[in-house]
Amino acid sequence: MERADFAHYPYLVAWEVTHACLLACHHCRASAEPHPLPGELATEEGLRLVEEVATYRPKPLLLLTGGDPLARPDLFLLIQRARDLGVKVGLTPAATPLLTREMIFRLKEAGVTRLALSLDGARAETHDAFRGEEGTFVRTLEALTWANEAGLPTQVNTTVTRDTWPEIQALPDLLAEKGVVLWSLFFLVPVGRGALLKQLSAREFEEVLGWLYEVSKTYPFHVKTTEAHHFRRVVLQRRAQEGKEDRALAAGESLHREYFQDGMEHSRLGVTDGNGFVFVSATGEVAPSGFLPLYAGNVRDKPLLQIYRESSLFQELRDKERLKGKCGVCEYRYVCGGSRARAFAETGDYLASEPRCAYVPPAWLERVGKAS
């Protein structure tokens, strides 16, 4: 299959602008707390990071995340600088009292391209319990309505665990009603507070990914996954069998403005941890992903691009020939490659096979057969 070359520039830069958040979500990768961490990037350092990202060609998407980005006092200055430099900005605010109708209209005016909000259940009781705060479900639905009023495109992020999965199946109707453009499902990686939650089994992963493909044929929004890269394999297999239209974001596609009015494209061919994606922590540490807490440098010491291009960690992750086990011989490795974050969390080896993939490549069967 076609190989994507992200050796020169990342496709998506995610910056954790602050550790601070008023919520205590059960799955939180960052184990966020109400106050910022000591030593978070200052305004001038943040502006330099935005300005550097604007020099990349093509310009990557910039995702401002947290914690809660709204807890950062200079957030609008950062957004406006990115807008002035032509960088598309996505924002993932928490559903706290800071997320008001006025705030959403200000974000749109400042230059936010897409607002990403979280729903982990179809009822207030389950979502609020998962998020650790009453009222977050209602506030999220209100924010989706306000964003529509402001003309600010929205996506919904949903965390998939063994406990949330039964109710997730009721979400598509709600998302269609709210006019979201993208449903992004984050499959649990056991890091941060999420280490205490239960993942789906490999067989359950396959069932859920198959169900998501069916959703993509029925509903008006697009569907993508995070840390379940084998959704791309499932989509390609199903398309080959059926030849039907769908709205699943799989490998090799490039979605243009006729699909997303904000001009955002989805993650292109083969984007994975450290391969097209780079994460900058609140204190400037650079990792392949927020779910893969291995750091290759700090933007205070070196330019982000130098770390991304030259660190041995990132170079290894971009070399699919280094993958081990069945991932290393899988015919889908250049469009999937498995979750390197989950491999590390479960095995301690970020090059190991994806632990939650049920697919057995023919080349692996052949190898095992020869070995026996």
Side-chain angles (χ1 to χ4, degrees), residues 89-93 99 104 107 112-117 143-144 147 152-156 262:
V89 175
L91 190 77
T92 62
L99 189 62
I104 288 175
L107 291 169
V112 170
T113 312
R114 184 184 299 170
L115 198 67
L117 300 167
L144 288 169
L152 178 55
T154 56
Q155 76 178 54
V156 163
D262 54 14

Side-chain angles (χ1 to χ4, degrees), residues 21-252:
C21 182
L22 296 176
L23 302 184
C25 302
H26 289 185
H27 70 295
C28 184
R29 164 203 59 76
S31 298
E33 299 169 315
H35 304 290
L37 290 175
E40 293 189 353
L41 294 181
T43 299
E44 290 303 316
E45 293 172 314
L47 289 172
R48 281 199 299 272
L49 177 60
V50 171
E51 289 162 1
E52 180 192 334
V53 167
T55 67
Y56 300 172
R57 293 293 181 270
K59 291 179 182 178
L61 309 178
L62 177 62
L63 177 64
L64 303 182
T65 183
D68 180 10
L70 299 184
R72 185 168 172 122
D74 60 359
L75 177 65
F76 283 92
L77 182 61
L78 299 170
I79 295 170
Q80 289 162 358
R81 185 60 177 147
R83 177 200 63 193
D84 293 343
L85 294 172
V87 176
K88 292 185 176 70
V89 175
L91 190 77
T92 62
T96 74
L98 296 174
L99 189 62
T100 63
R101 184 177 184 276
E102 178 187 7
M103 176 64 74
I104 288 175
F105 275 75
R106 284 186 64 200
L107 291 169
K108 166 66 175 177
E109 183 179 357
V112 170
T113 312
R114 184 184 299 170
L115 198 67
L117 300 167
S118 295
L119 279 175
D120 300 297
R123 297 178 297 123
E125 293 83 357
T126 50
H127 173 83
D128 290 356
F130 193 76
R131 292 282 156 179
E133 186 75 27
E134 289 187 10
T136 56
F137 181 78
V138 171
R139 188 174 294 116
T140 300
L141 295 186
E142 289 177 337
L144 288 169
T145 299
W146 296 332
N148 282 334
E149 293 175 4
L152 178 55
T154 56
Q155 76 178 54
V156 163
N157 299 336
T158 298
T159 302
V160 183
T161 71
R162 183 164 291 175
D163 292 330
T164 62
W165 162 235
E167 193 161 317
I168 286 173
Q169 298 168 74
L171 277 176
D173 287 337
L174 180 57
L175 304 189
E177 176 187 331
K178 289 296 181 180
V180 305
V181 299
L182 176 66
W183 190 19
S184 182
L185 294 100
F186 288 67
F187 284 69
L188 178 70
V189 175
V191 296
R193 283 196 284 263
L196 301 177
L197 303 180
K198 296 178 181 178
Q199 296 187 79
L200 300 173
S201 67
R203 178 184 58 79
E204 290 167 332
F205 256 76
E206 203 74 5
E207 293 173 358
V208 174
L209 296 177
W211 176 80
L212 285 176
Y213 176 73
E214 295 301 320
V215 168
S216 75
K217 295 193 298 182
T218 308
Y219 288 86
F221 48 80
H222 291 271
V223 178
K224 74 176 289 290
T225 58
T226 295
E227 302 301 347
H229 306 297
H230 35 317
F231 183 49
R232 299 168 182 168
R233 186 251 311 157
V234 170
V235 170
L236 293 175
Q237 288 174 323
R238 294 293 185 90
R239 285 177 178 171
Q241 294 168 359
E242 302 173 0
K244 295 182 179 179
E245 292 186 1
D246 60 75
R247 290 166 105 55
L249 300 188

Side-chain angles (χ1 to χ4, degrees), residues 16-21 29-42 66-67 71-72 279 281-285 295 300:
E16 178 192 51
V17 295
T18 183
H19 181 78
C21 182
R29 164 203 59 76
S31 298
E33 299 169 315
H35 304 290
L37 290 175
E40 293 189 353
L41 294 181
R72 185 168 172 122
F279 175 84
S281 80
T283 56
E285 298 288 344
Y295 299 103
R300 286 185 166 121

Side-chain angles (χ1 to χ4, degrees), residues 211-332:
W211 176 80
L212 285 176
Y213 176 73
E214 295 301 320
V215 168
S216 75
K217 295 193 298 182
T218 308
Y219 288 86
F221 48 80
H222 291 271
V223 178
K224 74 176 289 290
T225 58
T226 295
E227 302 301 347
H229 306 297
H230 35 317
F231 183 49
R232 299 168 182 168
R233 186 251 311 157
V234 170
V235 170
L236 293 175
Q237 288 174 323
R238 294 293 185 90
R239 285 177 178 171
Q241 294 168 359
E242 302 173 0
K244 295 182 179 179
E245 292 186 1
D246 60 75
R247 290 166 105 55
L249 300 188
E253 296 180 348
S254 180
L255 299 180
H256 304 291
R257 294 180 187 273
E258 63 266 30
Y259 292 101
F260 292 149
Q261 64 264 43
D262 54 14
M264 288 276 202
E265 294 179 330
H266 86 92
S267 299
R268 290 176 179 166
L269 181 63
V271 172
T272 53
D273 301 341
N275 183 51
F277 185 94
V278 61
F279 175 84
V280 182
S281 80
T283 56
E285 298 288 344
V286 178
S289 161
F291 299 101
L292 180 51
L294 297 175
Y295 299 103
N298 192 296
V299 296
R300 286 185 166 121
D301 303 321
K302 294 180 182 178
L304 174 62
L305 192 59
Q306 182 180 350
I307 298 170
Y308 176 83
R309 287 179 174 177
E310 298 179 5
S311 77
S312 59
L313 172 61
F314 278 78
Q315 289 180 356
E316 285 186 355
L317 289 168
R318 286 194 291 270
D319 184 357
K320 301 303 181 183
E321 299 302 318
R322 289 178 174 266
L323 294 177
K324 300 175 182 178
K326 64 180 185 178
C327 279
V329 297
C330 183
E331 66 271 31
Y332 294 99

